[in-house]
Every structure is written in structure tokens, then in C-alpha cells.
Amino acid sequence: MPDGQDPQGMKFSDALLSAWNKTLERRGAAPAIFRRDGEVARTFPAIELEAAAFAKKLLEFPPGAVLAVQIGNHVAWPAIFLACLRQRLVVLPLDESIGTQEREAALRICHAGGIITVSVGGEEVEILPFQLSLPSHRWDNTAPCLLKLTSGTTAAPRAIRFRSEQLLADCEQICATMAIRETDINFGVIPISHSYGFSNLLTPLIAHGVPVVLSGDRVPRAVLADLNRSRATVFPGTPVFYQAFCEMSDVQPPPALRLCISAGAPLPAATAKKFYQRFGLAIHSFYGSSECGGICYDRSGKVFADGYVGEPMENVDVESMEPAAKLSRIRVRGAAVADDYYPKADREKLGDGLFVPDDVLAREGIGFRIAGRTSDVINVAGRKVNPAEVEAELAELPGIRQAVVFGRKSQFRNEEVAACVVAGADVSESHLLRLCRKRLSGWQVPKRIFVVEKMPVNERGKVSRRELARLFAER
């Protein structure tokens, strides 16, 4: 049976629309989206009615047109995505925090024909068509339904092409590996516009009928209170949330919460262990990439090793490129791997069901541990320094809670090693440098160690070495 009919009257099938139709039949009038206080915001039939109304508003866009969506974690997200699938439009999610120049570059590069935003009050969504100087893109027979925006290892934005079959495969792998069911309630504070939020919040609701609590309040204390009020059972979070929860006093574990997931950045072992001791809940590290969805998952949550990300996901093949080496890049194969990059493909890195991340991994028992990225290597006068090795030594020093090592430009040595650490009030830079000189080779010793109260992160909870190099540039 066809799943939809485009504006030109052509009937077509779509994997996600087919899964949604089954969800509607199975879930009936059950709640689909909750507000932070636990009140029902949308039932499954209400989402379907809203999607049909949106589809009529999108008739002015021809099939294949790219439509940017910048609405935060608005309750209309599922309906908008379903409407775009039915109109055969290509969705380009944009973070709320994206800068003006970066947004304009993304719209231009992706040939966007319009954008969906929220009104000034933040309640209503607005569809704003516009004409760009560049013509609309003509897709081939594998036209995408989603473009995930990524900067990769450069600052220039580019997109990743996904079809419904690949998005559904990622959803199936996540729900099967993490044992997420329709009886659960996801707590959605991570951005849906990000690959992590899209795959762990939006597609499970559409394809598996997993309800979600949508929130835009990222203050950790408010998040913990809302987890209690909403009785959510699954929390896809980032390390910054768990670290903040551990530092709070007089708080109790949310009564209904059974599964804590951490992604977006490596989870410090100290944070995972402290959270388990305080709340009695294991944090399961989740490693994935925008290009291929989930890669590895820590099923037990009790390894307590820095950078540990567990075993490969269900139906995902992970292969070390240098099996005999201690550290190696990997190849990821699976049905969720994207078609290619857009506008310029990179077939050696992505395509034909294969993706090669920039991360460097190490075998850790039957699982993997992230040891760094190829782009992170610091060139100190011809000597190559792996920041992960320096971070491991810093983490062993007394009083250090978190350490991130990065390279800064150097007039005489090309680059120099620097570090940013979260440490106790009695820890000084000079003392840390003396200890480093005893433990590290001369070219590995940081030139500067910046002691901070809190590690700078972006809204996805990630620590960017490039951003730290900018913040702590040589003066």
C-alpha cells in the first residue's frame, strides 16, 4: 500500500511513513508528547491531524525542495517532519544557537527554499518561503528526506544525505540495543535538531510509538525536577548534565527513571562512578556520528573507564583499520550509514554503507575506548603529540576532575601543547606543570595549564578543542 501521494498526484512508499501508520494503528489515542509538568501536549491522533494541516501549508514547495526547520524542541516537530515526508520535501534541521553567518551559509549551501521558525512568543510556528540566487537542487533517484548539518573537521558547514530507510535503521538499532519500548517515556532536553536528539527522540516516537517529554529548559536543576514531575523513564543526556546532578545537594533520584544515556562527548569515569554511587543508576555511554547514527553502546554502564563507549550496536559492524595497533581508526558498516555528503561527496570516507570516522579508538576488552581524533594531533616542531595521552596523565594528578588538552599556535614550534583543567581551589598551574615534567616527555609537557571552575561546552554538551584553542590563544 502506498504511504503517501505527492502534490503531483504520484503515489509513493516511504519507510518512516509506513512505520508511522503502524504506530497509529497500534497506539490508538495514547499520549505521544508530554509537557514538562507531565500534562499531555499531543496524542498520536492529534499529531496526525497536525501533520495533515501542515502538509496543506507546504503545497507551494515542489517535491525535492529543501526546507530548514529551526524551532527548538517545539511540540510541532513530529507533525512538521511527517508533513514534509508526505510532500517529499527535504528537511534541514538547524540548532537554535546557530550563528547568523553560519545559518546563512547552511541555507545557501543546501539551496534551501524556505525555513520554519517560531513566532516571537515562541508558541506558533511560521513557514517562511524565500528565493535564493542559486537554483533548487535536482536530486537523483536516491533523493534524501533529511540533511544533517555538520562542520566535520573544518569550520565550513556541509550536509549529510539521509533517506527514510537509513533513519529507520538507526532507530531500530537504538531501540533494540538500548531496550527502549513504547511503554517508556523519553525525556527530551537534548536538541532534536542534533543527530543525537533526532535519532533518540523523534524517530522512536514515529516508528515505535515511544512517548516523549519535550523541554527547552536546560538548567540542570530544572531538568532534574522535570524528570521527577513527568515520570520519564529514559534520559538521553550529555556529560555536563550528569556532572551537574552529582554536584547538587539534597536531591533524590527520579522515581520512574530506569535508563540514563550519555553521548555528545566522552563521559568522565569519575562522573559515571559518582552518579552511580549517589543515585543507584548506571550511565550508559553511547557513541555515534551524524554520518551513520549509533556505533557503540556501553550495555552495562559499570566499566567506569574514561572514554569507554562499549560494544558495537545491534546490526552495526565495527572494524579496526589497523588490528595490530594499540590505537586505530575504525570502519563502520550498517544499514543506517548515510548516502554521502552534500554538496560535495567524499566516497573514501562515506558511502555505500561504509563510514570512516576521524576518531581514534582503542580496544577495551570486548568494547572500545575513544582515545582522540586524527585532527587533534598536535605538531610540536615535528613531534606528534596525542592529546589523549597527555589527558590521561593529567587525570591521574591529585585534585583534577577533568582535563582537555589542545594545541595552540606557536611562533617557533608550529604548535604548543596547552591544557584546560577543572580542579580544586588548592590546585595551581605551577604545581601541575612541575608534576607534568616528571611524568611526560619534554615535547608533551603543556606550555600552559588553565585552571577553570567549569569546562566550557556548547549547547550539545561537547568540549571543542578548536574552541578552547581560540579562547586560550597565545597572548
Side-chain angles (χ1 to χ4, degrees):
M1 290 289 292
D3 300 312
Q5 181 172 307
D6 66 24
Q8 298 175 346
M10 297 291 292
K11 294 182 179 180
F12 65 93
S13 294
D14 180 274
L16 282 173
L17 287 178
S18 179
W20 170 248
N21 291 336
K22 293 176 183 177
T23 294
L24 280 176
E25 293 177 6
R26 188 177 66 254
R27 298 293 275 143
I33 304 176
F34 294 91
R35 302 190 190 280
R36 294 164 50 201
D37 59 4
E39 292 294 316
V40 177
R42 297 284 193 279
T43 61
F44 285 95
I47 291 176
E48 172 67 9
L49 290 173
E50 191 177 15
F54 269 117
K56 292 179 181 178
K57 297 178 181 179
L58 299 175
L59 289 173
E60 62 183 298
F61 298 98
V66 176
L67 193 60
V69 180
Q70 190 178 28
I71 58 174
N73 280 12
H74 198 283
V75 293
W77 241 118
I80 289 173
F81 184 58
L82 289 167
C84 289
L85 288 176
R86 288 191 174 129
Q87 299 304 108
R88 307 189 83 165
L89 301 176
V90 184
V91 173
L92 173 66
L94 297 178
D95 285 350
E96 282 188 301
S97 63
I98 190 172
T100 302
Q101 289 185 342
E102 188 180 357
R103 187 181 84 156
E104 295 304 315
L107 295 174
R108 183 178 65 256
I109 289 170
C110 296
H111 297 241
I115 185 169
I116 298 179
T117 62
V118 293
S119 60
V120 177
E123 292 295 327
E124 301 296 325
V125 296
E126 301 175 330
I127 303 172
L128 305 175
F130 49 82
Q131 295 295 327
L132 297 175
S133 58
L134 296 173
S136 297
H137 184 81
R138 294 183 180 274
W139 303 106
D140 54 25
N141 293 329
T142 57
C145 70
L146 183 76
L147 293 176
K148 289 184 184 178
L149 197 63
T150 179
S151 62
T153 56
T154 69
R158 62 177 173 174
I160 310 163
R161 291 177 49 165
F162 281 92
R163 291 174 284 114
S164 281
E165 292 84 356
Q166 295 153 332
L167 298 175
L168 180 60
D170 188 31
C171 174
E172 298 287 354
Q173 291 162 187
I174 286 171
C175 290
T177 305
M178 302 180 186
I180 298 174
R181 311 173 184 87
E182 65 179 33
T183 52
D184 281 309
I185 299 177
N186 259 321
F187 190 88
V189 69
I190 55 175
I192 292 177
S193 56
H194 181 227
S195 180
Y196 180 22
F198 195 94
S199 297
N200 273 69
L201 301 174
L202 186 60
T203 52
L205 183 147
I206 291 172
H208 281 258
V210 182
V212 62
V213 179
L214 289 181
S215 171
D217 192 340
R218 298 177 58 82
V219 176
R221 188 168 290 277
V223 170
L224 196 58
D226 292 339
L227 280 167
N228 278 284
R229 292 194 299 170
S230 64
R231 299 193 66 80
T233 61
V234 180
F235 178 55
T238 57
V240 67
F241 284 114
Y242 296 111
Q243 185 173 352
F245 295 160
C246 289
E247 293 172 357
M248 295 178 189
S249 58
D250 302 323
V251 293
Q252 298 296 321
L257 189 61
R258 70 165 189 86
L259 177 60
C260 295
I261 307 162
S262 179
L267 177 69
T271 299
K273 191 171 185 178
K274 187 174 181 180
F275 185 85
Y276 182 70
Q277 292 171 341
R278 281 207 59 188
F279 297 98
L281 291 166
I283 304 175
H284 302 263
S285 286
F286 175 35
Y287 167 52
S289 177
S290 298
E291 287 86 346
C292 65
I295 300 174
C296 292
Y297 180 71
D298 178 9
R299 288 161 172 80
S300 75
K302 299 177 183 177
V303 174
F304 303 131
D306 284 326
Y308 184 72
V309 292
E311 307 162 53
M313 304 276 290
E314 295 287 330
N315 299 316
V316 176
D317 180 60
V318 179
E319 172 192 13
S320 294
M321 295 178 68
E322 300 176 67
K326 183 179 179 181
L327 303 177
S328 170
R329 294 178 70 186
I330 60 172
R331 296 185 184 94
V332 181
R333 291 183 174 87
V337 176
D339 283 328
D340 55 37
Y341 291 108
Y342 177 78
K344 185 178 179 180
D346 183 353
R347 306 303 291 181
E348 292 185 1
K349 184 177 177 67
L350 175 65
D352 299 322
L354 172 68
F355 172 58
V356 181
D358 291 320
D359 299 305
V360 176
L361 274 66
R363 275 284 183 182
E364 189 84 22
I366 59 174
F368 287 92
R369 174 177 56 83
I370 297 176
R373 292 173 68 84
T374 55
S375 59
D376 292 337
V377 173
I378 305 167
N379 183 356
V380 181
R383 299 266 195 171
K384 300 299 188 294
V385 177
N386 183 343
E389 296 177 358
V390 183
E391 287 169 353
E393 293 297 331
L394 285 170
E396 295 290 328
L397 301 181
I400 300 297
R401 296 197 294 271
Q402 186 179 3
V404 178
V405 173
F406 55 94
R408 303 194 309 169
K409 290 183 179 180
S410 172
Q411 183 177 358
F412 301 107
R413 298 187 296 173
N414 188 45
E415 287 185 292
E416 65 183 27
V417 180
C420 187
V421 301
V422 179
D426 57 339
V427 175
S428 69
E429 179 185 15
S430 58
H431 179 63
L432 292 176
L433 288 172
R434 282 196 297 271
L435 294 177
C436 284
R437 293 185 187 106
K438 296 178 181 179
R439 302 169 67 103
L440 295 165
S441 299
W443 65 88
Q444 294 177 308
V445 175
K447 189 76 171 178
R448 289 294 310 274
I449 298 178
F450 301 94
V451 182
V452 297
E453 293 183 0
K454 187 176 182 181
M455 192 68 67
V457 297
N458 60 25
E459 73 160 7
R460 300 175 186 178
K462 286 190 175 184
V463 178
S464 168
R465 298 187 201 275
R466 189 188 305 126
E467 182 65 15
L468 288 177
R470 188 189 66 81
L471 289 173
F472 299 103
E474 184 179 15
R475 294 178 177 86

